[in-house]
Amino acid sequence: MTEFSLLSPIQGQKGVQGIIVANSEGIPIKSTLDNSSTVQYAGLIHQLVMKARSTIRDIDPQNDLTFMRVRSKKNEIMIAPDKDFFLIVIQNPSD
Amino acid sequence: MSATGGKEEGKRRCPLLLRPASRTLNTSVSHGGPRGAHQRSRQTTSVLGCHSRRSFSLGGSKVLEKNVVQTPRQAVQVFDEENNDVTPQPLYQADPGAVQPMLFVDEISVGSASDQPTATGSFTLPFSRYQSLRSVFGSSRISSQSTTESVDDEDMFSKRDIPLSFPDVKVKKDTEKEQVTEDMLKDITEVFISETDTFSLLDMPSSFVSVDADEAEATIARNHQYEEVCRNRVSRDKTVERSVQTLTGTTKNKHVQSNGLMVVDADVCMSTATNVTICDMCEPLSDAEQEETAGICNPVKTDHAEGVTYSSRGADRSVSVGSTATTVSASGSLKEVDVKALNAEMEWELIMLSETFQLYLQTVERSILQNSFHPQLAAYRQLPVLGDPESPVKNEIVEQRTGDTDGGPSLQCLWVFSCELSRGRSVSCMTWNRKNPDLLAVGHGEFNSGNQKPGLVSCWSIKNLKWPEHIVHCDSAVTTLDFSANSPSQLAVGTHDGSITIHNVHSQDNRSHGVSSRDSPNRHLGPVWQLRWTQQEVSSTGEEKVEALLSVGADGRISKWFSFKDGLDCIDLMKLRRIQNTETKAGGKRTEMMAESVLTALTPGLCFDFHPTDSSIYLTGTWEGLIHQCSCSNSEQFLETYRKHFCPVNCVAWSPFNPDVFLSCSSDWTIQLWKQHHLKPVLGFISAQKAVYDIKWSPKWPTVFGAVNGGQLEIWDLSSSILDPVIVQPAAPGVRMTSLLFSSQADCVVVGDSDGHVTVYQLKNLNVGEQSQVDVLEDLICSAASR
């Protein structure tokens, strides 16, 4: 099972701009975007995920963040965080 | 102690009679200087209190010192046996007026001569270089008596230099009278402080008395006495207990303002490393490259692995690339970058294989698809689609939608379930999951043609419109499917070769063979045309409804299946006997006359349907065109036989709202509406001259049903018209529609066709009347029956 076979079903969907897999410190491991964008996305989203997670946990310590979708004017960023990694997918559905 | 170089005098001194003026002095031998009137006077400087034990030699250091004379000097004269004065004379007569530094070079004392208490070494200095100086022979004698401390008193002092006599500065015993000249004042006087011997003022060594000795008791008594004295002695400590209170001062808050910290992202450092990782990923890694990096990294790998485990970043992870990144970023060597790449690879491998990652991929995929198909899914779920004010495209869709409501009843195609696997394979049957109404199982199989191609079952979910959730490959064409109600993940599949298999939809293995009836001796000899899980009446315990799997096959048997050993086995509920001489003289005979022929052939049963309320009554349609009403408890006789069709009955369906009414469709192009116990149909429908393959009641509207014949999909609404279908949807050219399902959640129909596509249509504007539909149906039937 190569990474291509794993990511290709998502990659091939309509409007998907990029997929990034980063580890829990925000360092990208795999990406389909160019280097600078990858690094930028991974770093910024890492911070966002940390903040969101801490928010959820502050409200209820037994709760945890499972999925995040950030809808913006131009596209939508879907973030699936885990304790070991997080998966970021950027999609522009109107493409 | 041996003397250096030209110190044979020391050795030669042995036989010589040494008459030191004072025993405390040790003579230092100096070379014989120019004889003359110079009285060679020794001068002992400050005594070097070098310890007798072991003293170290200041190797090689030249110490400039001023010869400060304090101790009285004694003149030493050496005489040999003949009482000749062989006192060595100083070799060199320094210039009197010059500064006299004292130089001495230490020598290394080697070994230890035990006999010789004093062993001195002296050496000559290159006087030629210090012409103007009054050099002094220095010898530091180091007693290297590494032996015990029981050194003679003679060894207590190590010698100091004794400068040669200088005529002008008669440095004699009386140091107080030394004349301090102007020149001498300018000298840098160095004072050498050395350690003196230990003076013991009181030494009371403890004595040990043996226990057996005579004085033992006295000694012990004295010891005890002493201890008591010690104890009773008033303590000299005048300590007084006293408490102290520390006052904590009041805190004062103070605001401090500072400039914001300049945060610089460390991305710069990482980019070099991540470049490698992205290169790794984007270009396919050749094996050579991989070996290369592996080879380079192998020796370092273990180190990093250790470093990785030890590094703690607060997370309970075993692999941490971030910490290595901080150590790696310092040096930009390729080797370490490779290691980081390798770590990233390892991490990627771990992540790829983890289950949560698979789950996340699935979730993200569904989210993406939800985004892509947002309007369609919203329509399916009957949610309003809010127009996006930003994007102009969506506005058009909204406008289009509003335009639709004006027209008459119509179907709108929402989406098509289709994938490469299922393309080209005709859909033979479809069924919804009992528990999860989003799950649709589609069976593919081509059984009209001669050759037996393998069949396929694909389970689709509304949440993923692009790829089925679960795929099962079957050996032969799939003819029928049904999900179990009690255990919703069990799917029973009936195939063209007569075997029934129960698959578990949750299992990941595509090739897993469920429990099968292939090996059963009672299996169907022909294709299994329909399967159904039914909940029979309550078991003995009275709690749960026992579920049974029933099937009707081309061999004319209706069987009830149960698990037996590793497979399935069945008992026959009914055998569909061929009935000849179907005409009856008088109408309304309840029971049929069985054929008199010896060989009672069985006619293939094509479909069956259970009564919605009484699950022991079922209808079955046969190849002959007869519909038999049977009971599970009676396996010999039919309860009723309904005759009308003269071609195989393809489908029968009880109405979910009206328990007396059922529909049947057949290859003779007709659809018949029956009422129970009426042996003649109440209504008949015909629209196209094609065999009707499938018919289903709408779960929502009692008067609506759908039918599929080869060329089109028809939606009939009996409240509006009994002659024509309300909606007709033609099939795509070249494609036959083969099966039909209504969706329970939405106003949608699902149609499968011979190309393997499953299309979901939404019913629009089906303006069903306001009255209670059941009443309408009743009225219809009554009016029709009375005709």
Side-chain angles (χ1 to χ4, degrees):
Chain A
M1 174 165 55
T2 67
E3 67 244 15
F4 290 115
S5 70
L6 273 186
L7 299 179
S8 55
I10 298 182
Q11 181 85 14
Q13 298 294 348
K14 183 184 88 157
V16 172
Q17 289 173 344
I19 307 169
I20 301 168
V21 178
N23 70 354
S24 66
E25 279 104 19
I27 298 169
I29 303 173
K30 287 292 170 192
S31 168
T32 61
L33 293 173
D34 57 289
N35 188 21
S36 57
S37 306
T38 300
V39 166
Q40 193 180 24
Y41 264 107
L44 292 169
I45 286 177
H46 173 60
Q47 296 173 27
L48 181 66
V49 166
M50 290 298 123
K51 191 68 181 170
R53 188 180 257 152
S54 68
T55 305
I56 301 276
R57 285 200 132 134
D58 282 347
I59 293 170
D60 178 11
Q62 276 150 9
N63 205 354
D64 196 11
L65 182 68
T66 53
F67 202 76
M68 260 180 85
R69 287 171 81 160
V70 181
R71 186 81 180 85
S72 70
K73 275 195 209 169
K74 294 190 183 169
N75 50 20
E76 173 158 353
I77 305 172
M78 281 163 267
I79 306 154
D82 185 57
K83 65 177 177 64
D84 293 335
F85 64 90
F86 50 97
L87 171 69
I88 304 164
V89 177
I90 303 133
Q91 186 202 11
N92 187 357
S94 55
D95 274 351
Chain B
M1 201 180 300
S2 65
T4 58
K7 295 166 191 79
E8 294 84 10
E9 296 90 350
K11 290 191 185 115
R12 266 188 281 133
R13 244 187 341 157
C14 297
L16 301 173
L17 179 61
L18 193 61
R19 288 186 206 146
S22 154
R23 282 206 77 217
T24 58
L25 289 176
N26 289 315
T27 63
S28 72
V29 177
S30 43
H31 301 274
R35 306 198 177 210
H38 302 294
Q39 198 47 251
R40 196 172 54 112
S41 54
R42 307 279 155 100
Q43 176 183 351
T44 316
T45 60
S46 59
V47 174
L48 250 182
C50 199
H51 236 277
S52 55
R53 288 187 185 114
R54 190 179 299 212
S55 55
F56 60 95
S57 66
L58 312 156
S61 61
K62 296 193 176 180
V63 176
L64 261 155
E65 58 186 8
K66 180 74 178 158
N67 194 359
V68 179
V69 179
Q70 267 117 24
T71 57
R73 222 174 312 120
Q74 304 288 343
V76 176
Q77 291 178 319
V78 182
F79 299 97
D80 60 0
E81 288 98 357
E82 288 88 28
N83 274 357
N84 296 333
D85 185 8
V86 289
T87 312
Q89 299 293 328
L91 277 173
Y92 169 72
Q93 193 67 39
D95 198 22
V99 178
Q100 46 164 353
M102 215 153 139
L103 303 159
F104 66 94
V105 176
D106 299 328
E107 90 286 306
I108 302 156
S109 56
V110 180
S112 70
S114 54
D115 293 341
Q116 199 129 52
T118 68
T120 64
S122 61
F123 33 77
T124 60
L125 288 170
F127 294 110
S128 57
R129 286 158 55 183
Y130 306 100
Q131 296 278 341
S132 61
L133 305 171
R134 271 185 282 176
S135 68
V136 176
F137 292 130
S139 71
S140 73
R141 190 186 46 92
I142 298 123
S143 67
S144 72
Q145 304 274 355
S146 60
T147 52
T148 59
E149 290 75 22
S150 58
V151 176
D152 340 52
D153 299 332
E154 296 155 358
D155 262 0
M156 301 263 256
F157 309 105
S158 66
K159 215 26 173 308
R160 209 49 163 118
D161 271 337
I162 297 176
L164 298 173
S165 64
F166 303 103
D168 51 345
V169 183
K170 301 272 184 192
V171 201
K172 302 222 186 241
K173 314 173 192 182
D174 308 324
T175 55
E176 304 89 51
K177 297 207 182 118
E178 182 182 325
Q179 292 158 6
V180 179
T181 61
E182 283 295 325
D183 296 321
M184 285 169 69
L185 279 175
K186 290 173 200 164
D187 289 338
I188 296 167
T189 309
E190 296 208 353
V191 179
F192 194 84
I193 301 168
S194 57
E195 187 186 336
T196 61
D197 271 336
T198 311
F199 301 105
S200 61
L201 298 168
L202 171 66
D203 187 13
M204 279 174 59
S206 55
S207 62
F208 296 94
V209 176
S210 164
V211 179
D212 300 329
D214 301 331
E215 312 130 358
E217 291 179 7
T219 314
I220 291 169
R222 268 215 313 278
N223 284 350
H224 286 316
Q225 204 180 21
Y226 182 69
E227 280 168 23
E228 277 183 33
V229 167
C230 285
R231 247 182 283 127
N232 296 334
R233 183 168 155 248
V234 173
S235 170
R236 293 287 175 90
D237 307 330
K238 300 221 166 93
T239 54
V240 174
E241 276 210 9
R242 194 187 161 143
S243 56
V244 172
Q245 184 186 25
T246 49
L247 297 169
T248 52
T250 51
T251 54
K252 179 176 169 182
N253 284 332
K254 184 165 178 179
H255 288 280
V256 173
Q257 208 173 37
S258 68
N259 289 333
L261 291 172
M262 280 284 294
V263 176
V264 176
D265 282 342
D267 291 347
V268 179
C269 298
M270 284 189 332
S271 64
T272 52
T274 52
N275 257 330
V276 181
T277 58
I278 287 176
C279 288
D280 282 347
M281 173 205 63
C282 289
E283 297 143 21
L285 269 182
S286 66
D287 286 342
E289 279 175 12
Q290 271 174 330
E291 280 170 1
E292 233 178 308
T293 52
I296 294 170
C297 301
N298 267 339
V300 194
K301 204 168 157 184
T302 50
D303 299 335
H304 268 268
E306 287 165 27
V308 153
T309 52
Y310 292 154
S311 67
S312 59
R313 280 291 206 102
D316 48 349
R317 295 178 344 117
S318 57
V319 176
S320 153
V321 175
S323 55
T324 54
T326 52
T327 55
V328 164
S329 64
S331 67
S333 73
L334 183 64
K335 185 176 182 179
E336 283 158 348
V337 164
D338 278 348
V339 171
K340 182 161 186 291
L342 192 66
N343 270 335
E345 275 294 319
M346 279 157 41
E347 220 179 40
W348 172 242
E349 293 292 324
L350 276 171
I351 289 176
M352 267 210 306
L353 296 172
S354 74
E355 279 191 18
T356 45
F357 189 65
Q358 310 288 337
L359 187 67
Y360 281 163
L361 279 178
Q362 197 185 23
T363 312
V364 162
E365 194 177 342
R366 285 183 176 182
S367 309
I368 293 171
L369 285 166
Q370 192 182 8
N371 273 342
S372 309
F373 291 101
H374 184 60
Q376 294 94 324
L377 285 173
Y380 184 80
R381 304 276 186 202
Q382 299 176 335
L383 298 168
V385 178
L386 299 172
D388 197 359
E390 304 290 335
S391 76
V393 180
K394 293 223 171 118
N395 276 332
E396 290 169 18
I397 295 175
V398 171
E399 283 164 16
Q400 273 176 12
R401 192 155 297 117
T402 52
D404 280 338
T405 53
D406 299 334
S410 61
L411 285 176
Q412 186 189 9
C413 172
L414 290 181
W415 69 80
V416 179
F417 284 122
S418 162
C419 67
E420 295 93 38
L421 274 183
S422 63
R423 216 156 283 157
R425 296 168 118 160
S426 167
V427 173
S428 58
C429 50
M430 297 188 293
T431 179
W432 292 103
N433 190 324
R434 309 274 181 114
K435 188 163 177 210
N436 179 3
D438 284 346
L439 212 57
L440 175 72
V442 176
H444 300 264
E446 189 73 47
F447 40 83
N448 290 328
S449 58
N451 52 345
Q452 297 285 314
K453 280 189 286 188
L456 178 75
V457 176
S458 52
C459 293
W460 294 84
S461 165
I462 301 292
K463 294 180 181 156
N464 187 340
L465 304 184
K466 284 291 182 187
W467 193 259
E469 296 288 313
H470 189 72
I471 297 172
V472 181
H473 291 272
C474 300
D475 293 330
S476 75
V478 175
T479 54
T480 177
L481 293 172
D482 199 24
F483 272 106
S484 161
N486 278 0
S487 46
S489 63
Q490 304 267 359
L491 175 66
V493 179
T495 56
H496 196 60
D497 62 0
S499 67
I500 297 168
T501 319
I502 299 178
H503 290 279
N504 191 351
V505 176
H506 279 163
S507 70
Q508 295 300 315
D509 189 4
N510 283 346
R511 274 271 166 198
S512 72
H513 297 278
V515 186
S516 168
S517 77
R518 209 175 302 119
D519 303 324
S520 161
N522 294 332
R523 66 176 191 273
H524 284 288
L525 301 170
V528 179
W529 289 116
Q530 190 147 13
L531 277 176
R532 186 62 64 87
W533 291 91
T534 55
Q535 288 182 319
Q536 301 290 304
E537 281 315 313
V538 176
S539 61
S540 55
T541 56
E543 289 168 359
E544 234 184 52
K545 289 209 167 172
V546 175
E547 205 180 28
L549 176 65
L550 285 103
S551 70
V552 60
D555 54 355
R557 287 170 22 218
I558 296 176
S559 321
K560 178 173 173 181
W561 295 86
F562 49 90
S563 305
F564 179 73
K565 286 183 193 168
D566 273 334
L568 297 171
D569 204 4
C570 70
I571 55 171
D572 283 345
L573 284 185
M574 181 61 69
K575 287 196 172 56
L576 299 169
R577 289 187 195 78
R578 187 183 277 266
I579 296 176
Q580 292 164 357
N581 302 330
T582 54
E583 267 97 63
T584 57
K585 296 285 183 350
K589 251 195 172 174
R590 284 201 58 136
T591 55
E592 290 78 27
M593 306 278 287
M594 288 301 162
E596 298 294 339
S597 60
V598 178
L599 295 167
T600 52
L602 296 174
T603 171
L606 293 178
C607 54
F608 64 173
D609 194 15
F610 283 80
H611 196 275
T613 50
D614 182 5
S615 56
S616 66
I617 307 286
Y618 60 92
L619 287 170
T620 171
T622 64
W623 185 270
E624 300 172 308
L626 300 174
I627 303 172
H628 301 288
Q629 183 170 356
C630 319
S631 164
C632 291
S633 48
N634 186 349
S635 64
E636 292 297 322
Q637 287 182 336
F638 307 123
L639 296 177
E640 309 247 359
T641 303
Y642 304 92
R643 301 164 205 269
K644 179 68 178 159
H645 292 290
F646 47 87
C647 279
V649 177
N650 288 326
C651 196
V652 284
W654 288 100
S655 166
F657 293 93
N658 194 332
D660 276 342
V661 174
F662 64 91
L663 274 173
S664 69
C665 70
S666 136
S667 302
D668 63 358
W669 311 340
T670 61
I671 303 168
Q672 306 289 338
L673 178 72
W674 303 80
K675 195 162 157 83
Q676 202 183 74
H677 308 304
H678 285 83
L679 299 179
K680 289 294 169 198
V682 173
L683 283 172
F685 312 99
I686 182 167
S687 70
Q689 291 166 351
K690 284 204 167 119
V692 184
Y693 289 118
D694 207 353
I695 190 164
K696 291 277 190 315
W697 285 97
S698 161
K700 202 170 163 189
W701 297 295
T703 55
V704 175
F705 63 89
V708 139
N709 56 34
Q712 60 194 21
L713 163 71
E714 298 166 354
I715 306 288
W716 294 76
D717 182 5
L718 295 177
S719 62
S720 60
S721 164
I722 59 171
L723 294 176
D724 286 318
V726 173
I727 307 170
V728 173
Q729 175 78 22
V735 170
R736 277 181 307 114
M737 291 182 172
T738 54
S739 61
L740 170 71
L741 263 190
F742 271 87
S743 164
S744 54
Q745 284 183 310
D747 300 336
C748 295
V749 275
V750 182
V751 179
D753 58 26
S754 62
D755 211 14
H757 299 290
V758 177
T759 319
V760 178
Y761 293 98
Q762 190 186 24
L763 296 165
K764 304 181 80 57
N765 302 325
L766 204 62
N767 294 320
V768 192
E770 311 246 333
Q771 295 170 297
S772 165
Q773 295 301 304
V774 184
D775 298 336
V776 170
L777 193 60
E778 283 291 329
D779 293 339
L780 264 171
I781 293 168
C782 290
S783 61
S786 60
R787 273 192 240 125

